[in-house]
Amino acid sequence: PRADGAVRELRDARARRTQAARAQRGVELHRPEAGDGSVDQTARVYDVEHGSHSGRDVELKGHSDSVDQVSWDPSSPDRLATVSADKTLRFWDVRAGGRAVATVALTDENINVAWSPDGAQVAVGNRDDVFAFVDAKTHEVTRTTPKFTYQVNDASWNRAGDVFYLTTADGFAEALRFPELTPLHRMKGHTSSVYAMALDPSRDRVAFGGADAMVSVWDTHECVCVSVVDRLQAPVRAVSFSHDGAFLAAAGDDDAVDVSD
């Protein structure tokens, strides 16, 4: 939203957005820019303040397959990372235009990416449920996990950076102690696959969206579900808190975005 309360619709008819690229980290509307990925092998950064087609949008080119997810550097408004089915992680700086500033070759098709809250490292998950951790400055792979025993759909750190959350196809989210990656607790609030998650930027809460068309919100200290949103009729593939944590948006296969307070 702009300061005057107006809402602009962002359109790009050239390619359908992938479901993964619509996830909560891909579009963060409290930033001056919003980014998304596409099946046309590009990502695009929109100037939300001035609207689409303002001449200030930046198209990020370089991937050779679909761009499945994007993640902004929390320590910089200009840097972001993208992952693609072309088995690469790419770092971008919108001030440098549409060319990647670094490319990291990985071992499999990548489906999710998360940036640590201090901006120091990026986690990339692939279709084989293996995560690679990449130093955001040197662009070197510093660690690779063994294959997880469950299908991982999404991942994110908490605000402190000492917990790493995973959503799974088995209806639960796993909280792992970081950097040890040892289990802390398991949050089971869905009857089927959990697709998306969002961390509240102002409070210790996390929201999950699932294939059961439900959104569950959890207190991360007590590890209890504090509220449920059940107004959507189809799988929830994206959830996002507003910058102050006052509102929670959820969307997916429905023709609507649900916003709750």
Side-chain angles (χ1 to χ4, degrees):
R2 299 190 306 166
D4 60 6
V7 177
R8 294 183 181 270
E9 186 177 7
L10 304 181
R11 298 178 181 269
D12 189 348
R14 290 177 304 167
R16 176 183 62 83
R17 268 48 184 165
T18 62
Q19 291 169 340
R22 291 186 301 219
Q24 74 282 1
R25 293 193 307 280
V27 178
E28 299 179 85
L29 293 181
H30 58 280
R31 289 178 176 269
E33 302 91 13
D36 72 357
S38 173
V39 294
D40 70 355
Q41 304 175 10
T42 69
R44 182 176 289 273
V45 177
Y46 294 99
D47 186 326
V48 176
E49 291 295 327
H50 297 87
S52 61
H53 310 300
S54 65
R56 305 189 186 195
D57 303 343
V58 179
E59 189 174 53
L60 309 178
K61 296 182 178 180
H63 284 292
S64 59
D65 208 330
S66 62
V67 180
D68 291 320
Q69 200 170 69
V70 304
S71 181
W72 288 94
D73 180 349
S75 66
S76 168
D78 300 307
R79 294 194 296 267
L80 65 155
T82 58
V83 291
S84 167
D86 67 5
K87 303 182 183 181
T88 67
L89 160 70
R90 294 178 190 245
F91 291 91
W92 313 81
D93 189 318
V94 295
R95 295 167 297 186
R99 294 186 178 182
V101 297
T103 299
V104 181
L106 298 170
T107 59
D108 205 341
E109 294 184 20
N110 307 305
I111 59 173
N112 45 56
V113 57
W115 214 306
S116 64
D118 60 1
Q121 59 185 314
V122 172
V124 179
N126 65 30
R127 293 190 182 278
D128 200 33
D129 303 311
V130 172
F131 274 81
F133 291 87
V134 179
D135 188 293
K137 290 184 178 180
T138 66
H139 309 126
E140 298 289 334
V141 176
T142 59
R143 179 183 187 182
T144 302
T145 69
K147 177 181 173 67
F148 283 93
T149 58
Y150 41 73
Q151 178 182 309
V152 178
N153 291 328
D154 204 1
S156 182
W157 275 273
N158 68 342
R159 289 188 297 155
D162 58 0
V163 178
F164 193 62
Y165 292 100
L166 303 174
T167 66
T168 77
D170 296 327
F172 65 86
E174 188 94 272
L176 305 175
R177 184 180 289 107
F178 192 83
E180 298 86 354
L181 293 180
T182 53
L184 279 174
H185 43 255
R186 183 169 289 186
M187 293 163 283
K188 186 168 179 60
H190 294 264
T191 59
S192 55
S193 188
V194 184
Y195 288 135
M197 81 172 97
L199 277 295
D200 186 333
S202 64
R203 286 176 282 177
D204 293 317
R205 298 188 304 170
V206 59
F208 302 107
D212 55 6
M214 303 281 285
V215 176
S216 61
V217 181
W218 294 72
D219 182 305
T220 57
H221 277 312
E222 301 296 331
C223 196
V224 294
C225 183
V226 294
S227 63
V228 172
V229 179
D230 60 358
R231 291 184 292 268
L232 293 170
Q233 303 299 315
V236 179
R237 301 187 183 274
V239 289
S240 181
F241 283 100
S242 60
H243 72 95
D244 56 0
F247 298 97
L248 174 64
D253 294 351
D254 284 275
D255 293 328
V257 177
D258 182 275
V259 179
S260 56
D261 57 14

